[in-house]
Amino acid sequence: MSYARYSRLPGEISQHASMHALLNCIIKEVAIPQGTLFYRWPSCLTGLPNQLYGTPALIEWSTTLSLLVMVDRRSNIGSHYFLSDIYLRTSALSRWQAPDIAGLVNALLEHCEWLDDTPNGELVDQILQSQGVMASIVGHATEQPKLQPLSDYRSSEQGLWFGHPNHPTPKARQWPAHLRQDKPPYAPEFGATTALHQFSFPLEGLSAQANRMDAQEILPFVADQRKAENAQRVVLSMHPVQAVLFRQDVKVAEMIKEGVIGDLGKSGWRAAPTASMRTWYIDGQPWFIKGSLNVRITNCVRKNAWYELESTLVIDRIMHRLLQLKDAALETLCVAQEPATVHWQPTNGSDEQKQWFREQTGMILRENFCQRYAPQNCLLSASLFARDATLAPMILAFIEGAAHRPGQATLPAEWQVRQWFQAYLRALVAPVMGLFFRHGIAMEPHLQNCVLIHEQGQPQKMLLRDFEGVKLTSDKGVDWLAGEVLDPRVEASMIYSREKGWNRVAYCLFVNHIAEAILALSWQRPALADLLWHDTLEELRHVRKRLEVPAPELDALLKGASLPCKTNFKLRLMAKADRQAQYVLLPNPWHLNPVMGQEVAYG
């Protein structure tokens, strides 16, 4: 049971969620790699409640600051449920104290002895802003008890209440101050649809590029072209917030005043924002619209960089060719095609100005795979293993419903959980490993990039998406670029060393995805986690036998090598761009440190 379930107010729930996400970060990124996480009681107990249940997790953050929290298991990769408040004690105090989220973050930053540089002064505000968004989301979810995030695809995209569970600011959204609302219609968690903003532009300056279709075929799907003033103009859609930012630019305002750009207002289709915030789902349309959004969401400013617009089309061509090979290792793989991009830029002006317009107006068309598989058979993996408004995982009720056994206990039987998870692993692991080792393609199989295709709840296939983030390894994947004529900067953005590619794949698959799935599936039954990790190991062994190519990184992992873990907290702490992320090492989940011991039940 999660300690948060004893709370009922949105502010309390959001504070628990914020603190837990932060704890996940510091345990994985700092305490485990530095050897400062201990499953034992501190020598001083003054200030702690008389009754605490679970297993104590003591973090020696520095020589001057210690943290204590009760957890439901000993986990060598730092994957727990938290069963108590978080307590801290400094060398200047004789008592343990339970801080609020601001007090906790300030204490961590003040006692951050291992950090050489000045920490990001905005981090506290970003964490508090993230918590405030969570509180609004929880309040909305509480007011709408019939919300079912796992009922269909759109609901799953709009049902991710707490965001990335291993990020310090999972719901941070740095909207311009005058656009902040309690429940903005452009935020997916409030379940709204909103009209897209539309602008008209001269045909001269328009670039529409497409694979396997005529470029002109795509224009009716990027905006309502009936709004164009005449046949010499074209209409493009834009995120409502992006439209406000776009109009604020002096050059844009001047072009609107001169009639070069037509501001058509919120005259576009009503669309549903998805979890990524800048990708829009439109009922009945064959394409998602993925536009730019020059706002920091969680960790990145979500604009469509010009080189990503180009590389997306390249990866779309590669994936199309790859799927024609009918590789048995990719049998359970689905991909969402991204065959078209559109942008507008003025024909006059500097290269810098043209690039700015290109990135502001650029959009990608992504296949609406719900028309291929039906919305009720598609679920975002991030929501599948996420928490409800009381921080309890939703997946167990989903499995229970899929088992068609009305009247059984609240939790599905362990054999049902394992059977379901084994099917899930068969859909997920083979294509990710096959893409990397057989074809040199490093996707990001993290929870928000994966969509489960199921039949009545039973996993069938895994859809991997987001071509702009796909990388090609320099030893094998680069061969796919033969025949492509690319700007050197585009090509460079697409190529990773093999080590860098493996770090990305392994972190996303094991730490971000599978570890969170196992944690959700073993709720209230922490010993079940060992069995689920064993199931993962068996699936990896099975996949390894079928790869038929050298896979030294996987061989090493099966023999006990460490797992790479992305440093999301350290990245925000240093205010660096996501592309500058580094990795630390976590212990192998199958070769436990004898000191750590096995997963244990409560107390």
Side-chain angles (χ1 to χ4, degrees), residues 38-50:
F38 308 97
Y39 292 104
R40 61 172 172 79
W41 290 102
S43 57
C44 170
L45 301 179
T46 306
L48 295 176
N50 291 329

Side-chain angles (χ1 to χ4, degrees), residues 433-505:
M433 292 293 152
L435 285 169
F436 183 76
F437 289 112
R438 289 175 61 81
H439 303 288
I441 298 174
M443 299 196 76
E444 284 189 301
H446 58 64
L447 288 165
Q448 200 164 309
N449 267 358
C450 294
V451 176
L452 174 67
I453 311 300
H454 68 91
E455 291 183 7
Q456 297 182 329
Q458 296 302 317
Q460 301 296 318
K461 293 178 177 290
M462 189 63 63
L463 187 139
L464 302 180
R465 63 184 183 187
D466 194 10
F467 286 176
E468 73 179 47
V470 173
K471 305 299 180 184
L472 307 174
T473 60
S474 55
D475 66 320
K476 180 180 291 187
V478 70
D479 294 343
W480 287 100
L481 295 179
E484 295 280 356
V485 180
L486 302 176
D487 184 299
R489 291 169 293 179
V490 175
E491 184 171 341
S493 75
M494 299 173 64
I495 299 174
Y496 267 17
S497 68
R498 186 180 177 99
E499 179 186 12
K500 197 172 180 181
W502 172 249
N503 283 343
R504 162 186 277 223
V505 169

Side-chain angles (χ1 to χ4, degrees), residues 268-522:
W269 299 303
R270 293 201 67 81
T274 61
S276 74
M277 306 294 292
R278 58 172 172 148
T279 303
W280 297 87
Y281 174 79
I282 305 167
D283 281 331
Q285 288 273 30
W287 308 103
F288 293 87
I289 295 176
K290 183 176 183 178
S292 271
L293 182 57
N294 278 46
V295 172
R296 183 176 298 282
I297 305 295
T298 306
N299 60 333
C300 293
V301 175
R302 305 292 172 165
K303 71 176 182 180
N304 280 330
W306 70 271
Y307 52 86
E308 292 174 338
L309 291 169
E310 292 197 18
S311 66
T312 292
L313 293 175
V314 177
I315 296 299
D316 178 79
R317 291 193 288 271
I318 291 173
M319 296 304 293
H320 180 74
R321 287 160 51 202
L322 175 60
L323 293 178
Q324 305 308 304
L325 300 178
K326 305 293 183 184
D327 185 345
L330 308 180
E331 182 180 4
T332 60
L333 172 68
C334 302
V335 295
Q337 302 175 71
E338 297 189 359
T341 66
V342 179
H343 71 268
W344 182 88
Q345 62 187 31
T347 55
N348 299 318
S350 66
D351 289 344
E352 182 181 2
Q353 187 179 83
K354 290 179 180 179
Q355 179 179 311
W356 185 87
F357 273 93
R358 183 179 185 180
E359 294 184 335
Q360 298 297 306
T361 64
M363 65 182 72
I364 298 167
L365 289 189
R366 173 184 289 167
E367 176 196 359
N368 180 0
F369 43 82
C370 290
Q371 296 196 343
R372 203 185 340 162
Y373 298 108
Q376 65 270 22
N377 294 334
C378 305
L379 290 175
L380 180 67
S381 290
S383 295
L384 192 64
F385 301 113
R387 313 292 183 257
D388 65 15
T390 65
L391 291 184
M394 297 183 284
I395 181 60
L396 297 171
F398 178 79
I399 293 175
E400 182 183 2
H404 299 293
R405 289 169 61 99
Q408 71 181 64
T410 302
L411 296 178
E414 288 192 9
W415 68 265
Q416 289 176 317
V417 174
R418 291 188 69 186
Q419 188 178 69
W420 185 93
F421 185 58
Q422 289 163 7
Y424 187 87
L425 290 172
R426 286 194 295 273
L428 171 66
V429 176
V432 171
M433 292 293 152
L435 285 169
F436 183 76
F437 289 112
R438 289 175 61 81
H439 303 288
I441 298 174
M443 299 196 76
E444 284 189 301
H446 58 64
L447 288 165
Q448 200 164 309
N449 267 358
C450 294
V451 176
L452 174 67
I453 311 300
H454 68 91
E455 291 183 7
Q456 297 182 329
Q458 296 302 317
Q460 301 296 318
K461 293 178 177 290
M462 189 63 63
L463 187 139
L464 302 180
R465 63 184 183 187
D466 194 10
F467 286 176
E468 73 179 47
V470 173
K471 305 299 180 184
L472 307 174
T473 60
S474 55
D475 66 320
K476 180 180 291 187
V478 70
D479 294 343
W480 287 100
L481 295 179
E484 295 280 356
V485 180
L486 302 176
D487 184 299
R489 291 169 293 179
V490 175
E491 184 171 341
S493 75
M494 299 173 64
I495 299 174
Y496 267 17
S497 68
R498 186 180 177 99
E499 179 186 12
K500 197 172 180 181
W502 172 249
N503 283 343
R504 162 186 277 223
V505 169
Y507 163 72
C508 291
L509 180 62
F510 295 109
V511 180
N512 180 295
H513 196 142
I514 290 176
E516 285 304 313
I518 289 175
L519 182 64
L521 291 166
S522 60

Side-chain angles (χ1 to χ4, degrees), residues 207-258:
S207 174
Q209 298 176 286
N211 297 327
R212 304 179 300 282
M213 58 194 300
D214 188 280
Q216 294 304 309
E217 292 179 50
I218 68 180
L219 292 180
F221 299 110
V222 299
D224 185 354
Q225 300 303 325
R226 296 173 299 177
K227 303 292 185 180
E229 296 89 341
N230 56 59
Q232 300 306 310
R233 296 183 68 81
V234 65
V235 180
L236 300 182
S237 299
M238 200 173 282
H239 190 293
V241 173
Q242 180 71 2
V244 173
L245 299 174
F246 184 62
R247 289 184 302 180
Q248 287 178 348
D249 180 78
V250 174
K251 180 64 175 176
V252 172
E254 180 182 332
M255 296 173 83
I256 290 175
K257 185 177 180 180
E258 293 173 350

Side-chain angles (χ1 to χ4, degrees), residues 13-29 69 78 80-82 86 101 104-105 108 127 130-131 134 161-172 298 387 391 507 516 519 566 568-570:
I13 292 290
S14 66
Q15 177 146 289
H16 285 304
S18 295
M19 285 185 158
H20 295 175
L22 183 58
L23 264 183
N24 285 335
C25 291
I26 65 175
I27 286 173
K28 289 180 171 69
E29 298 179 32
V69 64
H80 317 91
Y81 282 103
F82 300 104
I86 300 166
I101 183 68
L104 174 61
V105 180
L108 291 173
I127 291 174
S130 174
Q131 185 207 339
M134 283 186 194
W161 307 146
F162 304 105
H164 193 328
N166 294 287
H167 198 284
T169 61
K171 287 295 176 181
T298 306
R387 313 292 183 257
L391 291 184
Y507 163 72
E516 285 304 313
L519 182 64
K566 184 180 175 186
N568 293 308
F569 170 71
K570 290 182 177 179

